Amino acid sequence: MIVYDQIFDAAIDRLHSEGRYRFFIDILRNKGAFPNARCFAHHNGPKPITVWCSNDYLAMGQHPKVIEAMEEALHNVGAGSGGTRNIGGNTHYHVELEAELADLHGKEGALLFTSGYVSNDTTLSTLGKVLPGCVSFSDELNHASMIAGIRNSGCEKKVWRHNDVAHLEQLLAETDPELPKLIAFESVYSMDGDVAPIHAICDLADKYNALTYLDEVHAVGMYGPRGGGISERDEAASRLTIIEGTLGKAFGVMGGYIAADNRIIDVIRSYAPGFIFTTSLSPVLVAGVLASVRHLKQSSVEREGQQAAAAMLKTMFCEAGLPVMDSVTHIVPLMVGDPVKAKKISDILLAEYGVYVQPINYPTVPRGTERLRFTPGPAHTEAMMRDLAIALSEVWDRLDMKKAA
């Protein structure tokens, strides 16, 4: 007889033995005072901590305009959306936000989803099913949601070495020219902090008649004069077929979206189960994002502050001899290379220094490349960063870990 409990226990035990069991920290952020928060992991009541691993990169989740817009929407229309978009869940807030996002990327239309994961999974799987015989070309470091979408599409997949345009062309050249092709990649890769060569990839898409799908999740709001992402910064948005983004990182709220021409938007809207059969985003959330997008289109203060903070923290880590990974973006990864040590460092930082940063382990990153991933923002002060560098240096020494030369 099958003993199901033993199977489940064994699965969890494997994670513990490999040092990659995930613990969720019980915290509350302090409204209007981010990155300050309270941790409830202590018997003596909440302990003040500083958050260093949030994807609310620009602290827009705390911005007065965003909070005011959400409160106004709550009192105007109530809490929930009432259903799917085609059954009671479409509101004027949704329509307005899709127009703003289409404009942000210079596209004809946009479509909202409940998360960035869902927008990737749903769109990529639907495209693969709609395009007969489609072959998808996926960067090897693409996010799990993109991998899932391509897999769920049932189409042939070819994986190209990370940011290796020559390898991508090799795979394109050996593929039947009569088959539909889709090149899927990210702009900013969130674990290493590097950037895709968008124009070079678009050149190959033009040469081999392929569609392009760019995940700008870690770049929207962050780069470009209006926050349109790396594709706006590099003046490449018009060359891309579909741009996908999130509303839960730099924009500070929740949700995901795609932007493309109206024909593609209509196909996804009409065929994608992940859009058709799910309750739409609450208008309260949509109102908050709408305020955030409009603000960041006009203001570069947050982006400039964030970039300055990231540069300062990288410098401090280098000066302290800490193994900071080379990154040209706002992501500041600190290499550990061992899941148990990464968790130990995280635990010490939280318990003794009030520093909250989560370890990043497999399968998010390959085994042996475990790290701590810091995301300094415009609200992190120089004093906070200096205290963080000192704390990390002390923990590194205590655990007899190797420092950079």
Side-chain angles (χ1 to χ4, degrees):
M1 184 176 70
I2 298 173
V3 182
Y4 293 101
D5 287 351
Q6 290 182 359
I7 297 173
F8 296 140
D9 288 342
I12 295 299
D13 288 343
R14 281 197 300 274
L15 296 179
H16 280 291
S17 66
E18 295 171 8
R20 59 187 187 94
Y21 180 80
R22 295 172 186 240
F23 294 87
F24 295 157
I25 307 301
D26 185 1
I27 71 168
L28 285 175
R29 298 197 292 180
N30 299 334
K31 176 176 173 283
F34 185 78
N36 296 312
R38 293 154 282 166
C39 176
F40 289 82
H42 302 272
H43 298 297
N44 298 326
K47 172 185 176 180
I49 60 171
T50 304
V51 178
W52 285 99
C53 54
S54 173
N55 285 337
D56 186 359
Y57 295 130
L58 304 180
M60 289 303 295
Q62 303 287 315
H63 198 283
K65 288 183 181 178
V66 174
I67 294 172
E68 181 182 354
M70 295 179 74
E71 289 176 341
E72 181 180 338
L74 178 63
H75 293 290
N76 184 26
V77 300
S81 69
T84 63
R85 290 288 291 276
N86 64 315
I87 304 179
N90 192 60
T91 74
H92 189 57
Y93 291 107
H94 292 79
V95 175
E96 280 192 299
L97 179 55
E98 286 174 342
E100 287 286 352
L101 293 169
D103 171 76
L104 179 65
H105 297 292
K107 300 297 183 185
E108 291 180 342
L111 193 65
L112 290 175
F113 296 86
T114 51
S115 72
Y117 189 105
V118 173
S119 55
N120 272 335
D121 185 2
T122 299
T123 304
L124 287 168
S125 63
T126 303
L127 285 172
K129 291 172 182 175
V130 169
L131 297 168
C134 180
V135 180
S136 291
F137 298 82
S138 177
D139 186 288
E140 67 177 341
L141 293 189
N142 275 346
H143 189 265
S145 58
M146 301 175 75
I147 296 170
I150 293 170
R151 181 176 59 247
N152 292 337
S153 73
C155 67
E156 181 182 357
K157 178 179 73 171
K158 296 188 177 183
V159 178
W160 45 293
R161 290 187 294 271
H162 178 53
N163 280 348
D164 188 336
V165 180
H167 187 220
L168 172 60
E169 179 162 24
Q170 176 189 330
L171 296 177
L172 286 164
E174 66 187 30
T175 302
D176 185 344
E178 297 303 313
L179 292 176
K181 302 170 190 65
L182 175 66
I183 303 173
F185 61 108
E186 300 182 38
S187 57
V188 173
Y189 288 84
S190 65
M191 291 301 132
D192 291 355
D194 56 347
V195 174
I198 299 178
H199 278 293
I201 293 170
C202 288
D203 289 343
L204 291 180
D206 292 342
K207 181 177 179 180
Y208 292 94
N209 190 28
L211 302 178
T212 50
Y213 182 99
L214 176 65
D215 180 326
E216 285 263 41
V217 160
H218 291 276
V220 289
M222 305 291 295
Y223 300 92
R226 301 193 308 157
I230 297 293
S231 58
E232 183 191 24
R233 185 197 73 178
D234 294 354
E235 299 182 344
S238 63
R239 305 188 65 189
L240 295 155
T241 312
I242 301 172
I243 296 174
E244 182 267 348
T246 184
L247 309 172
K249 292 184 171 59
F251 292 130
V253 189
M254 180 182 177
Y257 67 91
I258 59 169
D261 67 36
N262 282 332
R263 182 182 294 105
I264 291 175
I265 294 296
D266 201 21
V267 166
I268 303 302
R269 182 186 70 86
S270 301
Y271 280 90
F275 174 80
I276 296 170
F277 297 108
T278 190
T279 299
S280 66
L281 285 169
S282 161
V284 176
L285 297 173
V286 178
V289 176
L290 189 58
S292 182
V293 172
R294 286 173 172 168
H295 174 80
L296 289 175
K297 279 183 177 181
Q298 304 296 325
S299 173
S300 293
V301 172
E302 293 81 7
R303 284 187 284 277
E304 292 168 358
Q306 200 283 331
Q307 290 292 335
M312 181 179 292
L313 189 62
K314 291 174 189 176
T315 298
M316 288 185 181
F317 281 179
C318 287
E319 291 174 348
L322 295 166
V324 60
M325 296 173 61
D326 188 28
S327 163
V328 296
T329 63
H330 58 282
I331 308 295
V332 185
L334 205 57
M335 181 58 70
V336 178
D338 179 272
V340 176
K341 287 184 177 178
K343 178 65 169 60
K344 180 68 172 176
I345 296 168
S346 174
D347 288 346
I348 294 173
L349 288 172
L350 183 65
E352 299 183 23
Y353 297 91
V355 167
Y356 175 40
V357 60
Q358 285 282 44
I360 307 295
N361 297 327
Y362 177 84
T364 306
V365 295
R367 297 178 194 274
T369 67
E370 293 82 5
R371 66 200 66 178
L372 302 175
R373 175 182 174 273
F374 296 88
T375 53
H380 287 94
T381 66
E382 182 176 351
M384 288 176 178
M385 290 185 235
R386 203 163 299 285
D387 289 343
L388 173 63
I390 292 171
L392 282 164
S393 186
E394 289 176 355
V395 174
W396 239 255
D397 290 339
R398 187 192 311 182
L399 298 180
D400 292 323
M401 294 177 60
K402 184 179 179 180
K403 287 189 175 180

